[in-house]
Amino acid sequence: MSSFLRDFEVEAKNPSLEARQRWRSSVSIVKNRARRFRNIPDLEKQAENETKRHQIQEKLRVAFYVQKAALQFIGAAGRPEYKLTDEVKEAGFSVEPDELASMVRNHDTRGLAKNGGVEELAKKVSVSLTEGVSSSDLPIREKIFGENRYAEKPPRSFLMFVWEALQDITLIILMVCAVVSIGVGIATEGFPKGMYDGTGILLSILLVVMVTAISDYKQSLQFIDLDREKKKIIVQVTRDGTRQEISIHDLVVGDVVHLSIGDQVPADGVFISGYNLEIDESSLSGESEPSHVNKEKPFLLSGTKVQNGSAKMLVTTVGMRTEWGKLMETLIDGGEDETPLQVKLNGVATIIGKIGLSFAVLTFVVLCVRFVLEKATAGSFTNWSSEDAMTLLDYFAISVTIIVVAVPEGLPLAVTLSLAFAMKKLMSDRALVRHLAACETMGSATCICTDKTGTLTTNHMVVNKVYLCDKVHERQEGSKESFQLELPEEVQSILLQGIFQNTGSEVVKDKDGKTQILGSPTERAILEFGLLLGGDFGEQRKEHKILKIEPFNSDKKKMSVLIALPGGGARAFCKGASEIVLKMCENVVDSNGETVPLTEERIADISDVIEGFASEALRTLCLVYKDLDEAPSGDLPDGGYTMVAVVGIKDPVRPGVREAVQTCQAAGITVRMVTGDNISTAKAIAKECGIYTEGGLAIEGSQFRDLPPHEMRAIIPKIQVMARSLPLDKHTLVSNLRKIGEVVAVTGDGTNDAPALHEADIGLAMGIAGTEVAKENADVIIMDDNFKTIVNVARWGRAVYINIQKFVQFQLTVNVVALIINFVSACITGSAPLTAVQLLWVNMIMDTLGALALATEPPNEGLMKRPPIARTASFITKTMWRNIAGQSVYQLIVLGTLNFAGKSLLDLNGPDSTAVLNTVIFNSFVFCQVFNEVNSREIEKINVFKGMFNSWVFTGVMVVTVVFQVIIVEFLGAFASTVPLSWQHWLLSILIGSLSMIVAVILKCIPVESSQHHDGYDLLPSGPSSSNSA
C-alpha cells in the first residue's frame, strides 16, 4: 500500500506548503468534509491571516521607523487631544486609556514628557512605582482599561457538532430514502406497518449522529483545555508592596512588571528602571535586530521578547488595545498543522473508499439486473408496482449503506481522538503537548539530548562546600549554624557584597512576613548561603548603588555587576563557571584575609579543589571582585580580579531517573547529557544516572566544536556526555544526529536554546526553569522539569501509533467482510443479508465506538521493550495484513456457510426461517466484531486480556455494544429487520464470534516478521549502542 500513499506524506515538523496542498487535493472520496477536515487548517484562511499579519507588522515597522521620527517634529497642536471622560475621573485616574495606548504604540516620547515622564504617568494611573497596584483596585482597573485577554474563537456548542455530523452525504441520501420508504410503505402496507423500515433507518441515523456528536464534542472540550493550558504565562509583578507571581491574564494597567532574559513582554508599557535591556521585536515588526530600551527609548510592546538584561516596566495598555492583541486575532483560525499519521490515514481512507464505492455501485447494478431479469422471466416486466419501487429503493439504500461502511471516515479522525486522549493524559502527568505531531514523533525518538540541572537533578540546590581563605568548609547539617567560617571582617564584607549585589534574584517578604528568595535555583542557593552568614539583602542594596549589570549569559557562563563605593571609585563583582572565572584572576584572598598574587602553585591548588568538588557531583562557581578608580564606559573588565571563594553547590539526582534512563536504553533510545557544568561534575552525575557507561565518550563543548566535520560525525554516536557546552554546541549536536538518521528529542530552558529546540524533531522546554522564548520554540513543555516525564511522553507517543494500528486492523477487517458478504450474496441470491439499519449499527461499532475503544488504550509495559518506530516503516505491517486476511477469511467462511446453507444446517423451517437466518447471520457478524475488537488489543502478542480492565473506555464500549445488540435483536425487530432468537441461536452466535479468538492465536503463531515473536518483544541491548542496533 505504501506505493499508493506517496501523495499522503508530510514532514512531522514545519511541513511544506506543497506537501500540504498535494495530499488535500488527493483526497477524492469524503462523506463528510466538514467533520473530516474540522481539525485540519484551511490553507486559504491561513494565507489570508498571514497577509493580515504582514500588514500589521508593516504598520508597526512604519510606526517604529517613520512615526518615531515624524513625532519629533510634530508640535502639541499636531497631536490628538484626549478629554477625560467622567467614568475615568470618577475611577480616580487622570489619563484616558486610548491616550496611553496611542503614546506607547507610536513611541511618542514627547507625549510621555508632556505627561511628566514615567513617575507622573504612574500617578495618573494611581499607582506607586515601589508599592505597585493594590489588589482592591483590580476590578475598577479592569473595567476602565480592560482585561489582558485577546479575542478568542467562541467554543462550539453541542448542537453545532450534531449539525456537522448530519452533513454526511451518505446519511443525507439515506434520510431521503427513509422518508420515501415511509411514504410508499404507508401507501402500500398501511399505518403503522408501512413506516417500520424507513423509521428504522431514521432512528439508526439519529443514533449514529448523536454518538458521533457526543464523541466529537468531548474531544473538542479536551482541546479547549489544552489550548487554555498553552496560553498560561506567569509574570512577576510588585503588588501590595510585595513581589509576587500572577497569570498574564490577571495583569492590569498600573502593574509594575519585572522582566528578565527570555521573558515575553506581557503588555504594552513604559520602562521604569533596568540594565542592558535588549528587546527582540521580530514577532511584531519582523525586524531581527534587537532594540535597546532605556530611559531615552522607554517604550515596551506586548509580545516582544527580552533578549538581554533585566528591567521593571509600568503597564499602560492591555488586551485588544495592544498591537499584539490585534496580531493574535489573526491566529484564531490558524488551526493545528496536520500530523503525518492523520495524512497517511486520509490516504488509506481514500484508497479503501474508492474500492468501497466500486463495490457499492457494482452491488446496486447486480441487484437491479437480477431483479429486472427475474421480472422478465416471470413475464411481469411490463407490470411495475409500488412494491417493486420499494424493492429498488431498498437496493439503493443497501448500496449507499455499503458506502457508509466501506469509506472508513473514522480512520484519520481516530488519530485526532487518540492524540487528544494522550495529550489530556500527559497534561495530568505534567507534560503539555503544544503541537499534535510531537506526540506522534516522540514514538519514533531514537535519542534524547537532555540538560542536567533540574531535569536529571531535583533543582533544589544548596551550597554544600565552600573554599575560602585557603580552606575548604563543609556544611554542618543539624547544627545551629550551617557554616562556621570565622572570616576576617573585611573578607566577610566583600563576600556578602559579592553575593547580594551580583545577583539577578531578590530576597523579599511574603504576605505572612516570611523571607522568600525569588530567582533561579543556583541564585537561591547562593543567596541562602549569604543569609546563613548573617548578611542582609536589603541593607546591602541600600548601601551601594548599582552602576551596571551584565546578566548571566550561557555563552560567557558568567555574570557581573559594578557598584559605586561610598568613598569614591567602583568595585566590579563577577561569578560564574569556576575554570573560566579563575582565568580572569591575578590575586587571591589567603588564610590571613590578605590579597596575595595568584601563583601557578596556588592556581594548581585551587584547580584541585574545583576538581575535587566536581568529582563529588557538586556544581562549582567562582566568586571574584576587582576595585576600580572609576567606572568603565564600556564592558566590565575581563581580567585583574581577586578570587574570594569557590562554592560547591549540591543538586541531588531526582529519584527514579536511573530507572527512567534504563527504560529508555531498553527501548532503543540513547540518552545523552548536554550541560554547561564542569566535565567532572557532568561525568559524576551521568554515572549516577546510568547515562555514562563503559565505552561511552564524555567531551567538552570547546573540544567538540573545534573538530573537523568528518571527525565530529565519527564520534557523535559514542558521545554520552557533553560538558561546558554552549547553546550552539547543542544545536550542532542535534543537527548532526539528525543527519545520520536519528530522531532527536532535545531539552532546553534558556533563550539561547531556542535554535536547538527548533532544529530537533521534538523540542522539550522546561516548564519551571524554562523561559517563555524556550517554551514558544518547543513542541512539548515538561511542566515538572522531570526526566521521567520525558520518558512518559515517549511511552504515550508509541501508544498513539500502536493504538491507531490496532484500530486500522479492526476496521479493515470489518470493511472487507461487510463488503464481500453483501456483494457475493447480492450476486448469487439477489438479496443482501445485512440491511441498511444493520449496516449502520455495524458502522457505528467499527467507527466511533471502535475508535473510542482501541484508540484510547493506555500504554502497556511492552511498548518500552521494543525498538522505536522507524519513520520509514510501513504503517500497515505484514503482521497486520496477516491478521486482517486470516480473520476476514474465517468470518467469510462462517457467514457464507450460514448464508447459503444455514437453513438446512440449523434446521430452520416455516415462514419466518429466512428472517431467523438473517438475524443469526447479523448477530454472528456483530459478535465476530466484538471478539475481534478484543483480538485487536494486541497485534502480535497472544495474551489479549492483559490490562483490558485497566481501560474503562474499552470495557464500557464492549458492554454498551453487547447490550445494544441484545436490544436491537430482541426488541427492535420491526425497525432493524430482526426477530427474537432462541437461547441456542444466541449461544451459536457467541460461539462463532469467540472462535475468532482461537483463529487469532493460530494466526499469531505464523511468523511473518523476523524481528519479533508472538509471545512478546525481544529486549534490545542496553547501553550506548542500543540506538544504533535499532
Side-chain angles (χ1 to χ4, degrees):
M1 186 172 273
S2 299
S3 58
F4 296 107
L5 295 174
R6 282 177 189 154
D7 288 338
F8 294 90
E9 290 179 357
V10 295
E11 299 88 348
K13 204 165 181 179
N14 307 315
S16 67
L17 182 62
E18 183 191 357
R20 295 168 75 192
Q21 287 172 332
R22 185 174 61 243
W23 82 261
R24 281 168 172 78
S25 61
S26 300
V27 177
S28 51
I29 297 177
V30 183
K31 293 189 295 183
N32 188 340
R33 189 163 286 274
R35 183 170 179 250
R36 178 102 157 246
F37 291 98
R38 184 199 320 123
N39 294 310
I40 304 296
D42 184 327
L43 294 182
E44 286 182 14
K45 199 170 276 187
Q46 271 194 344
E48 281 175 28
N49 289 339
E50 196 63 36
T51 305
K52 278 186 200 173
R53 195 152 57 249
H54 283 312
Q55 286 171 350
I56 292 171
Q57 286 183 330
E58 191 58 38
K59 177 183 164 190
L60 283 163
R61 197 179 285 116
V62 169
F64 290 163
Y65 296 104
V66 179
Q67 287 179 317
K68 279 194 283 183
L71 283 166
Q72 304 302 317
F73 301 100
I74 296 174
R79 284 190 178 81
E81 285 294 325
Y82 294 93
K83 290 187 178 178
L84 277 180
T85 60
D86 291 339
E87 188 182 25
V88 173
K89 282 180 186 174
E90 286 168 13
F93 305 118
S94 311
V95 63
E96 276 291 315
D98 289 338
E99 183 179 359
L100 283 172
S102 173
M103 180 174 63
V104 177
R105 181 172 60 244
N106 296 324
H107 288 55
D108 186 358
T109 47
R110 287 196 179 183
L112 180 61
K114 184 186 169 188
N115 278 290
V118 67
E119 289 80 9
E120 288 302 313
L121 195 64
K123 290 177 184 174
K124 289 188 175 186
V125 292
S126 302
V127 71
S128 159
L129 293 179
T130 53
E131 295 295 309
V133 167
S134 170
S135 297
S136 58
D137 292 345
L138 297 181
I140 192 69
R141 289 181 184 276
E142 287 184 348
K143 182 184 175 185
I144 301 295
F145 297 104
E147 296 182 20
N148 197 31
R149 293 180 183 274
Y150 309 123
E152 290 185 1
K153 200 174 182 180
R156 306 173 76 190
S157 66
F158 174 69
L159 289 176
M160 289 178 77
F161 286 97
V162 173
W163 173 247
E164 193 178 74
L166 282 166
Q167 290 178 47
D168 189 311
I169 296 167
T170 53
L171 293 185
I172 292 168
I173 295 170
L174 284 175
M175 282 189 276
V176 173
C177 290
V179 171
V180 172
S181 174
I182 290 170
V184 176
I186 291 173
T188 55
E189 297 179 48
F191 181 85
K193 190 180 178 185
M195 62 182 292
Y196 285 156
D197 287 347
T199 306
I201 292 174
L202 287 177
L203 287 173
S204 299
I205 289 169
L206 180 65
L207 184 64
V208 168
V209 166
M210 292 307 292
V211 170
T212 301
I214 290 167
S215 173
D216 290 350
Y217 179 62
K218 287 193 74 177
Q219 195 182 115
S220 78
L221 294 179
Q222 288 179 325
F223 279 118
I224 288 168
D225 286 345
L226 289 163
D227 201 46
R228 195 178 293 125
E229 199 68 36
K230 284 181 199 176
K231 291 173 182 172
K232 280 186 181 176
I233 296 176
I234 300 300
V235 291
Q236 290 201 352
V237 297
T238 297
R239 270 191 189 173
D240 300 319
T242 62
R243 188 161 163 177
Q244 49 191 274
E245 292 181 339
I246 62 165
S247 165
I248 190 172
H249 301 306
D250 296 332
L251 209 63
V252 294
V253 169
D255 263 323
V256 175
V257 176
H258 300 259
L259 298 172
S260 56
I261 293 179
D263 285 349
Q264 177 178 307
V265 178
D268 286 1
V270 180
F271 177 89
I272 300 170
S273 62
Y275 306 95
N276 301 342
L277 189 63
E278 291 180 15
I279 299 292
D280 175 9
E281 294 176 337
S282 59
S283 54
L284 269 182
S285 68
E287 289 295 325
S288 56
E289 280 297 310
S291 168
H292 294 269
V293 176
N294 46 43
K295 291 276 187 185
E296 287 70 43
K297 296 188 208 169
F299 300 109
L300 291 143
L301 292 180
S302 177
T304 56
K305 311 290 189 305
V306 180
Q307 193 165 310
N308 200 7
S310 58
K312 288 198 290 184
M313 68 170 263
L314 175 69
V315 174
T316 57
T317 320
V318 294
M320 290 307 295
R321 277 200 172 94
T322 66
E323 291 300 326
W324 183 249
K326 292 166 191 170
L327 199 63
M328 285 287 99
E329 200 172 15
T330 66
L331 300 175
I332 289 175
D333 294 316
E336 178 81 59
D337 281 346
E338 56 270 31
T339 75
L341 210 48
Q342 282 175 329
V343 173
K344 200 171 278 186
L345 288 180
N346 264 295
V348 173
T350 300
I351 293 165
I352 296 168
K354 287 176 181 176
I355 297 167
L357 182 62
S358 305
F359 267 88
V361 171
L362 210 54
T363 304
F364 182 65
V365 170
V366 168
L367 286 170
C368 289
V369 168
R370 278 188 63 98
F371 180 70
V372 170
L373 288 173
E374 283 172 6
K375 278 188 77 68
T377 307
S380 58
F381 187 73
T382 54
N383 298 323
W384 291 82
S385 65
S386 57
E387 285 185 7
D388 294 335
M390 280 292 287
T391 303
L392 290 172
L393 189 66
D394 281 346
Y395 290 164
F396 182 70
I398 287 166
S399 301
V400 172
T401 314
I402 286 174
I403 298 173
V404 174
V405 176
V407 179
E409 199 90 328
L411 284 184
L413 296 170
V415 180
T416 313
L417 173 69
S418 187
L419 286 169
F421 184 79
M423 288 165 75
K424 183 77 175 172
K425 287 290 183 186
L426 282 169
M427 193 163 77
S428 62
D429 289 343
R430 311 300 295 148
L432 175 62
V433 180
R434 294 185 72 247
H435 300 133
L436 276 176
C439 205
E440 270 179 32
T441 312
M442 201 64 192
S444 301
T446 60
C447 166
I448 299 173
C449 296
T450 176
D451 291 327
K452 175 186 76 69
T453 307
T455 309
L456 299 172
T457 59
T458 60
N459 223 5
H460 296 142
M461 300 191 190
V462 290
V463 174
N464 201 50
K465 287 187 176 183
V466 59
Y467 175 77
L468 262 169
C469 301
D470 291 342
K471 289 180 189 173
V472 173
H473 305 268
E474 192 164 354
R475 190 183 189 94
Q476 304 296 316
E477 295 294 344
S479 63
K480 191 177 179 183
E481 291 183 9
S482 296
F483 284 98
Q484 296 171 347
L485 302 179
E486 298 175 1
L487 300 174
E489 191 177 333
E490 179 67 18
V491 176
Q492 177 133 342
S493 173
I494 290 173
L495 177 62
L496 292 175
Q497 278 179 26
I499 290 171
F500 292 126
Q501 301 292 353
N502 189 21
T503 180
S505 300
E506 282 190 54
V507 179
V508 297
K509 298 283 185 186
D510 62 16
K511 290 178 181 178
D512 301 324
K514 292 178 181 176
T515 300
Q516 189 180 2
I517 303 173
L518 300 173
S520 71
T522 308
E523 293 278 21
R524 286 204 299 267
I526 293 173
L527 285 175
E528 184 201 18
F529 172 58
L531 294 173
L532 287 172
L533 297 181
D536 187 314
F537 179 85
E539 286 301 316
Q540 282 285 351
R541 285 298 178 98
K542 284 176 190 172
E543 277 180 28
H544 302 95
K545 182 186 177 185
I546 295 177
L547 304 174
K548 197 169 200 175
I549 290 177
E550 289 183 359
F552 178 80
N553 183 301
S554 54
D555 288 326
K556 294 180 179 177
K557 301 208 180 295
K558 63 186 177 70
M559 74 174 292
S560 306
V561 67
L562 184 71
I563 64 168
L565 294 174
R571 179 172 286 163
F573 289 99
C574 178
K575 74 175 178 206
S578 299
E579 58 270 41
I580 293 170
V581 175
L582 184 60
K583 289 175 184 174
M584 297 163 55
C585 296
E586 291 179 358
N587 302 300
V588 64
V589 177
D590 70 3
S591 55
N592 300 317
E594 302 291 331
T595 301
V596 296
L598 194 61
T599 62
E600 290 294 327
E601 188 183 341
R602 284 184 178 276
I603 290 173
D605 290 343
I606 295 167
S607 297
D608 287 344
V609 169
I610 293 168
E611 186 65 28
F613 283 9
S615 62
E616 294 175 35
L618 298 180
R619 189 175 200 180
T620 63
L621 292 177
C622 216
L623 277 57
V624 302
Y625 79 98
K626 180 178 183 177
D627 285 331
L628 303 163
D629 295 330
E630 58 182 2
S633 54
D635 292 340
L636 294 182
D638 280 335
Y641 285 86
T642 300
M643 199 204 84
V644 182
V646 175
V647 292
I649 299 172
K650 187 178 182 181
D651 186 11
V653 170
R654 282 183 184 271
V657 161
R658 189 178 182 88
E659 292 76 12
V661 169
Q662 286 171 348
T663 301
C664 283
Q665 290 166 343
I669 303 171
T670 305
V671 182
R672 294 177 168 91
M673 180 202 283
V674 183
T675 178
D677 269 356
N678 177 299
I679 193 162
S680 299
T681 307
K683 281 158 76 173
I685 294 283
K687 277 181 184 173
E688 198 176 335
C689 295
I691 293 171
Y692 187 47
T693 57
E694 194 176 338
L697 179 65
I699 191 171
E700 286 197 337
S702 55
Q703 187 185 345
F704 173 75
R705 76 182 79 104
D706 291 339
L707 289 170
H710 66 280
E711 284 185 34
M712 190 181 281
R713 292 271 180 93
I715 69 157
I716 275 176
K718 299 175 187 173
I719 292 176
Q720 292 177 343
V721 177
M722 188 184 290
R724 286 290 180 238
S725 67
L726 303 179
L728 183 63
D729 300 328
K730 188 187 279 189
H731 182 271
T732 306
L733 178 65
V734 169
S735 178
N736 279 285
L737 281 166
R738 292 188 73 205
K739 282 175 186 173
I740 60 174
E742 299 267 12
V743 179
V744 186
V746 66
T747 68
D749 51 20
T751 307
N752 293 337
D753 285 328
L757 291 168
H758 192 266
E759 172 70 21
D761 295 286
I762 313 104
L764 305 159
M766 298 298 108
I768 300 168
T771 60
E772 286 308 318
V773 173
K775 290 174 188 175
E776 195 177 80
N777 282 276
D779 303 296
V780 182
I781 298 171
I782 307 301
M783 283 142 72
D784 60 358
D785 292 13
N786 194 338
F787 185 78
K788 284 169 71 178
T789 307
I790 298 172
V791 178
N792 206 25
V793 176
R795 187 180 283 112
W796 270 103
R798 293 183 177 203
V800 166
Y801 191 91
I802 298 295
N803 285 348
I804 300 302
Q805 282 188 316
K806 294 174 189 175
F807 176 61
V808 169
Q809 177 182 295
F810 168 68
Q811 193 170 51
L812 291 189
T813 306
V814 186
N815 280 134
V816 170
V817 176
L819 278 177
I820 294 176
I821 196 77
N822 266 20
F823 175 69
V824 171
S825 181
C827 292
I828 296 172
T829 67
S831 65
L834 299 174
T835 66
V837 172
Q838 291 168 0
L839 282 172
L840 281 170
W841 169 235
V842 168
N843 178 64
M844 197 164 75
I845 292 172
M846 75 166 192
D847 199 327
T848 311
L849 294 178
L852 274 172
L854 293 169
T856 60
E857 284 238 273
N860 58 52
E861 293 171 14
L863 288 176
M864 296 305 278
K865 293 179 181 176
R866 53 175 291 168
I869 303 146
R871 276 191 165 170
T872 53
S874 175
F875 179 73
I876 304 178
T877 62
K878 290 177 185 176
T879 309
M880 290 169 67
W881 282 124
R882 177 200 66 193
N883 296 343
I884 292 165
Q887 289 292 344
S888 299
V889 168
Y890 164 71
Q891 290 184 28
L892 286 169
I893 290 170
V894 172
L895 298 175
T897 304
L898 284 174
N899 193 38
F900 299 115
K903 287 184 182 179
S904 57
L905 286 173
L906 301 179
D907 194 24
L908 296 174
N909 301 301
D912 66 342
S913 59
T914 303
V916 171
L917 179 63
N918 284 342
T919 303
V920 170
I921 291 170
F922 167 56
N923 209 30
S924 301
F925 180 62
V926 168
F927 274 99
C928 278
Q929 309 326 316
V930 169
F931 283 100
N932 195 37
E933 201 161 351
V934 178
N935 285 331
S936 297
R937 289 191 68 249
E938 288 290 352
I939 293 171
E940 190 64 29
K941 291 183 182 178
I942 286 174
N943 184 2
V944 294
F945 297 106
K946 188 177 180 182
M948 187 170 88
F949 297 104
N950 294 340
S951 174
W952 64 268
V953 179
F954 185 90
T955 312
V957 167
M958 291 292 99
V959 171
V960 167
T961 304
V962 172
V963 168
F964 260 85
Q965 181 63 17
V966 172
I967 292 168
I968 288 168
V969 170
E970 295 294 321
F971 305 107
L972 299 177
F975 300 107
S977 304
T978 60
V979 292
L981 296 176
S982 65
W983 68 267
Q984 291 96 335
H985 289 149
W986 270 105
L987 193 62
L988 176 67
S989 300
I990 294 167
L991 184 65
I992 288 170
S994 62
L995 281 173
S996 69
M997 302 195 79
I998 296 170
V999 172
V1001 172
I1002 295 165
L1003 288 171
K1004 287 171 185 177
C1005 291
I1006 301 170
V1008 288
E1009 311 236 20
S1010 58
S1011 60
Q1012 293 174 344
H1013 184 257
H1014 67 79
D1015 204 26
Y1017 301 107
D1018 294 330
L1019 279 172
L1020 291 175
S1022 60
S1025 61
S1026 60
S1027 68
N1028 302 329
S1029 64

